[in-house]
Amino acid sequence: MKELKELTDEELALAYVNGSNQAFDLLLSRNQSKLYSYILFVVRDKNLADDLFQETFVKAITKMQQGKYTVSGKFGAWLMRIAHNVIMDLYRGQKSDKIVEAGKENDLSNISSSDFLDMNIESKFVNDQILCDVKKMMNLLPTPQREVVYMRFYQQMSFKEIAESTNVSINTALGRMRYAIMNLRRMANEHQIQLQMV
């Protein structure tokens, strides 16, 4: 029999359903960072993100205990879909046309570029400026487009996972990505920003 650490997230979820609290602790530790960053990215408010993160896990626990979790895809994508629905429920409850309110504290600075770059110092400065410009432009994208870009490039989710997480078709997810890229290019051209890394 495998040790808990060797199990996939899906196997851990089933182990939790069958009574293993240690399996849930491991599931939480594996998924909390990715899930929290997604929620914070969308809502841009740390206190609200904390509340929504907890609500997401409470809903996930409830669904698992009610036997509503089946291994039909990745556990992480299932969890993201729950988080997406929790966020949308919040905004529906507020009856607001705005999906995201810009906060002073979240300008995507929590996404580190230094992890990806291994270059000389001059190239690093140029690339840091480019990433900073891209992050600022991403903040100007409509929420559905920004959400798809974040899931795809910062969380390495497939378009199928993105579609499942946001309750849209794959074509809609692809379309949102296409429009996001077009909007980013347009903004770069309007402000004469070079987006080519060195």
Side-chain angles (χ1 to χ4, degrees):
M1 185 172 172
K2 290 183 183 177
E3 284 190 34
L4 281 179
K5 291 180 183 178
E6 297 172 2
L7 298 178
T8 65
D9 284 356
E10 295 73 31
E11 291 170 326
L12 285 172
L14 293 176
Y16 171 68
V17 168
N18 291 323
S20 171
N21 288 331
Q22 291 174 325
F24 179 77
D25 293 342
L26 191 52
L27 264 178
L28 176 63
S29 69
R30 285 185 186 176
N31 290 281
Q32 67 185 3
S33 176
K34 184 176 179 180
L35 181 67
Y36 183 80
S37 349
Y38 163 70
I39 293 170
L40 181 61
F41 178 79
V42 175
V43 300
R44 298 179 176 208
D45 178 292
K46 188 175 179 341
N47 292 329
L48 183 58
D50 291 342
D51 292 343
L52 294 174
F53 176 80
Q54 288 178 5
E55 187 177 341
T56 298
F57 262 99
V58 167
K59 287 197 176 202
I61 290 168
T62 303
K63 287 178 183 288
M64 286 191 282
Q65 289 175 345
Q66 292 172 344
K68 293 183 179 176
Y69 174 75
T70 57
V71 183
S72 58
K74 288 191 175 182
F75 178 80
W78 180 74
L79 204 53
M80 289 289 228
R81 187 173 29 221
I82 292 172
H84 173 80
N85 290 338
V86 166
I87 293 167
M88 291 303 112
D89 288 346
L90 168 79
Y91 288 120
R92 279 187 210 106
Q94 291 177 346
K95 295 185 182 187
S96 170
D97 290 338
K98 286 187 173 182
I99 299 295
V100 174
E101 291 186 23
K104 295 176 187 171
E105 297 175 11
N106 189 343
D107 62 356
L108 296 180
S109 60
N110 59 338
I111 301 170
S112 173
S113 60
S114 59
D115 298 338
F116 306 109
L117 304 173
D118 185 17
M119 303 167 201
N120 67 43
I121 194 71
E122 184 179 344
S123 295
K124 183 181 179 335
F125 284 131
V126 170
N127 289 337
D128 284 348
Q129 183 59 51
I130 290 168
L131 288 172
C132 181
D133 292 340
V134 168
K135 290 172 187 176
K136 286 178 184 174
M137 290 187 304
M138 276 182 62
N139 279 332
L140 300 174
L141 289 174
T143 301
Q145 292 174 24
R146 186 172 62 244
E147 186 177 41
V148 169
V149 170
Y150 182 78
M151 289 176 161
R152 182 73 179 135
F153 292 109
Y154 293 100
Q155 296 192 316
Q156 288 82 42
M157 293 174 71
S158 70
F159 282 105
K160 181 180 180 193
E161 292 170 329
I162 293 168
E164 289 172 357
S165 296
T166 57
N167 294 322
V168 298
S169 69
I170 291 178
N171 287 339
T172 300
L174 288 167
R176 287 177 179 174
M177 177 61 78
R178 180 174 166 263
Y179 285 117
I181 291 170
M182 288 169 46
N183 284 330
L184 289 170
R185 284 185 183 147
R186 179 186 48 77
M187 286 186 264
N189 287 336
E190 285 173 4
H191 299 287
Q192 298 176 345
I193 296 172
Q194 293 294 323
L195 297 178
Q196 187 170 1
M197 305 284 270
V198 294

